[in-house]
Amino acid sequence: MSMHNIRFDFVCQRHVPLYEHLCNQYLERSEFNISIGAESEPQTSKIRYFIEAFAPQAQLESLADDIASDFLLSVWLLDTHIQRIEQHSGQRKPFNIKPLHSGLPLYFCQHCQPKFGDNQHPSFGNINLQCHHCMGHEKLSRDEKSLTQTDIAAMANRLLSHKSLPLPILGITLWLTPPAAILSSTISQNADEQLTNSSQTNASMTKTIKYQRPRILVCNPNSLNSHFIVNDSQVLALSSIEKPLLRVRPSSEHPSLLAPLYDIQFAENRLLVILTEVLRQKGINWLHVTSDIEPHTSQEALLNKPLCLASINQHWLPITTLSDGSIPLPTNVTCLHDEHHYQDDQHTFKVQSTKTDMNWQVSDNGAKSSTSASASPLTLPPVLASSCAEDSNTITNDITTSLCALNAAVLRCDSNKNHHKAQFVKHAAVLYFSQQNACQIVTLDSQSNPELFFQLPTLPTSGYEICHSLSESPQKSLLDKFKQLFPTEYNQLLDLHIQADDGALSQLMAVATLIIGAYPVETAQRVTVTELADKFIALAMSHHGNNAPRIDFPLTKGAAHRSLNWCKTLGTLMSFKLAGETNLAKLAFAFHDSFADYLSHWVEHLDQNIGVKQLVIAGSEFANSVLTERVQLRIGKNFPLMVNPLLDLDGVNIAIGGLYLKQRRR
């Protein structure tokens, strides 16, 4: 009987705790003479898990089937292969797994989910079903453990009769119809009562209706393609063990999915698996979800917010990481500070460096200070120079955040290298486009000296002021014709209100949406920048083909840095509208493509001046898949775009980048 040495490789973008756990389980199978290992690639930060086995051919084939079944798909899995080897290089002792929370990284797996989650199985609805593979039953909260199949069926019936179902133990409410529709119907019912109240009440009510991108829980994955436009990689990601939220657009002309974009997700825990299966049987394909943290919400639910992903360079990256974590201490750049914190509108990111690692903690700004204080061993250092303490209108030339994003993206770890002399980032540039902070292009030259090359301007806060600026510019004649031929669109523009915390690029897209006439008039009174920008992005996503008109994005040279002549950009869109262009998808796509093309020219200009050896993209605006694709296409061929595969686009990366800033804290 011939014996063979075989190695099974799993190449991952970052650590996958489930794979480490499975490697440890396979070590116990003595009949295969197994060894395991994990190797990291310093240049890319990829990690390769492997299992080596020595056994006869027939047994190895059986082992391969088991491994294929057990190693469930992770969004961080990049590649797998099997090969013959001469000898083992792995270890025979288990990995030391450090879970961030008790229990294992899964709520359910392919062994237990078909039992408690399939209505044909005798164990259907048994939320406490024990599974020695994933130990998911150990991750249930006390409230979840007490639920019976009858309780969950009653929940489904309540949802069907009341149209909504609060689930405080998960921190969410499920809805049969869009929550906004319910909200507006209750508003109209009480309209007379509200009109008699003071105008202050009315103002505060309008303020609370802040547009949030709708979130969908898919009950019937088989119906996904008939309701949403998704590609193969998105379907795989949705089905992965991480159960992320992905931003997609609904099918064209969908009768009931009327928002431009949705964040969609499959059931991520045992309760939702059972509940969605009950509802699927009753013909419900999807549910609307809103987050609402209450006193009853379990700590587990607070910690396990869904992973919101964006696709960059064919890799998935979190837009903002909302869970605590760590990465090995990078070795290619010198760390200058021990700790740093960064705060955006919703979260505070605290990071601390040790001799071997960087550890971060994320807390909710709305959380009670007592709990966040007791949960964190870090002392808050003084905030870095205007690190987002002010809004983007007042930060005219602060490049701290962009530099943090640049620093974080280039960090890599090589345990074999130890630099004795200080290493700093040089010959680098960052395209940092964020909804939270100033959108900038910042560079570091051969001496690591930073410079702000470009900053996207924030627009005036009202449509009236935007129109006034256009009428004072060379675009006046275009505006006059536009006002005459498209009075409805012009009036919509006058009614627009921009909040201080709306990102500069989103603002520009929002105004562009109204100019091309892409938003229905009857709902325009209450429209927000986010919803308008979503509409514009969804239109661009729906465009077929790569040909598009050219939209102008001319630079203006200010005293300190370059900016954008946004009046000319909007004037170009008006001229296409006046010329009779009715293909709105083409115009929205043209905006993205032209902007990426202008960025490409600017980067080439920077390359001639400082030599761009590392070009970073960062910021939450790159969750816009059209922008990312066009930037990749226009710039990525000549300047490979860098992100840090271990971090996120806008959050933890800013906190970590602050540890490398060559400036004193004030």
Side-chain angles (χ1 to χ4, degrees), residues 125 127 141 143-170 172 174-176 269-276 278-279 282 284 287:
I127 199 170
S141 66
D143 289 332
E144 287 170 294
K145 282 179 185 170
S146 68
L147 294 172
T148 64
Q149 184 187 351
T150 314
D151 293 332
I152 299 173
M155 286 178 177
N157 289 331
R158 181 184 166 178
L159 175 61
L160 293 170
S161 60
H162 288 68
K163 307 289 189 248
S164 69
L165 175 70
L167 291 173
I169 52 177
L170 299 180
I172 59 174
L174 303 177
W175 309 76
L176 271 190
N269 56 52
R270 289 187 171 205
L271 173 53
L272 291 180
V273 166
I274 299 166
L275 192 55
T276 53
V278 173
L279 292 162
K282 296 177 185 288
I284 306 297
L287 296 168

Side-chain angles (χ1 to χ4, degrees), residues 379-415:
T379 16
L380 276 179
V383 179
L384 276 164
S386 35
S387 173
C388 314
E390 309 154 86
D391 69 55
S392 53
N393 284 319
T394 54
I395 300 175
T396 52
N397 198 3
D398 180 59
I399 57 175
T400 305
T401 313
S402 297
L403 279 177
C404 288
L406 172 50
N407 286 335
V410 301
L411 299 176
R412 295 294 181 266
C413 188
D414 185 350
S415 52

Side-chain angles (χ1 to χ4, degrees), residues 336-628:
L336 299 173
H337 310 284
D338 298 329
E339 52 189 35
H340 174 229
H341 86 282
Y342 159 69
Q343 189 171 328
D344 66 18
D345 288 351
Q346 293 175 296
H347 303 96
T348 299
F349 306 87
K350 294 179 262 190
V351 63
Q352 191 172 45
S353 66
T354 68
K355 288 185 178 174
T356 56
D357 296 289
M358 285 185 173
N359 304 296
W360 67 80
Q361 292 182 315
V362 186
S363 57
D364 213 311
N365 290 348
K368 291 172 192 165
S369 53
S370 58
T371 51
S372 57
S374 61
S376 167
L378 298 179
T379 16
L380 276 179
V383 179
L384 276 164
S386 35
S387 173
C388 314
E390 309 154 86
D391 69 55
S392 53
N393 284 319
T394 54
I395 300 175
T396 52
N397 198 3
D398 180 59
I399 57 175
T400 305
T401 313
S402 297
L403 279 177
C404 288
L406 172 50
N407 286 335
V410 301
L411 299 176
R412 295 294 181 266
C413 188
D414 185 350
S415 52
N416 301 318
K417 280 191 181 173
N418 225 330
H419 299 295
H420 295 295
K421 65 172 193 170
Q423 303 279 314
F424 300 109
V425 184
K426 48 186 74 168
H427 295 295
V430 61
L431 309 179
Y432 178 67
F433 296 131
S434 172
Q435 290 165 321
Q436 301 273 355
N437 304 305
C439 296
Q440 298 176 330
I441 301 175
V442 171
T443 62
L444 287 169
D445 63 14
S446 59
Q447 304 299 308
S448 299
N449 293 321
E451 186 177 351
L452 174 61
F453 171 76
F454 168 81
Q455 179 166 312
L456 203 59
T458 51
L459 299 185
T461 54
S462 75
Y464 179 82
E465 292 171 85
I466 290 168
C467 290
H468 180 71
S469 298
L470 284 165
S471 68
E472 296 283 303
S473 77
Q475 316 308 312
K476 182 182 185 325
S477 60
L478 275 173
L479 182 71
D480 291 343
K481 284 180 196 165
F482 182 79
K483 178 180 176 180
Q484 188 181 352
L485 285 174
F486 301 105
T488 307
E489 285 84 347
Y490 179 76
N491 286 329
Q492 273 187 307
L493 186 53
L494 285 179
D495 286 339
L496 179 68
H497 288 281
I498 291 176
Q499 304 293 326
D501 57 356
D502 289 324
L505 189 56
S506 293
Q507 292 175 14
L508 196 59
M509 288 190 200
V511 177
T513 309
L514 296 178
I515 285 174
I516 65 173
Y519 204 81
V521 178
E522 63 276 9
T523 50
Q525 288 303 313
R526 233 195 251 144
V527 72
T528 65
V529 163
T530 309
E531 190 175 5
L532 287 169
D534 272 9
K535 178 71 180 174
F536 198 70
I537 294 163
L539 271 174
M541 289 165 89
S542 70
H543 177 69
H544 301 295
N546 288 318
N547 296 332
R550 189 165 178 80
I551 310 293
D552 286 337
F553 286 86
L555 287 177
T556 60
K557 183 76 176 87
H561 62 271
R562 292 159 194 82
S563 188
L564 178 72
N565 178 353
W566 56 268
C567 287
K568 185 81 171 82
T569 305
L570 298 177
T572 316
L573 284 167
M574 281 183 190
S575 63
F576 280 116
K577 180 80 173 163
L578 290 165
E581 180 58 77
T582 55
N583 186 337
L584 305 188
K586 186 198 276 189
L587 287 177
F589 177 82
F591 178 101
H592 285 80
D593 187 54
S594 299
F595 185 49
D597 194 36
Y598 274 88
L599 287 174
S600 173
H601 290 306
W602 301 341
V603 171
E604 283 169 17
H605 169 79
L606 290 172
D607 185 41
Q608 289 167 8
N609 286 356
I610 63 158
V612 177
K613 293 179 182 171
Q614 302 180 100
L615 179 63
V616 167
I617 62 171
S620 52
E621 291 286 11
F622 282 105
N624 173 351
S625 59
V626 187
L627 177 66
T628 308

Side-chain angles (χ1 to χ4, degrees), residues 17-24 94-100 103-105:
L18 173 69
Y19 291 1
E20 295 175 8
H21 165 68
L22 287 169
C23 284
N24 287 354
F95 292 132
N96 180 20
I97 303 173
K98 298 181 217 167
L100 291 172
L104 283 157

Side-chain angles (χ1 to χ4, degrees), residues 287-298:
L287 296 168
H288 295 266
V289 183
T290 52
S291 298
D292 36 23
I293 307 304
E294 295 181 13
H296 302 295
T297 306
S298 70

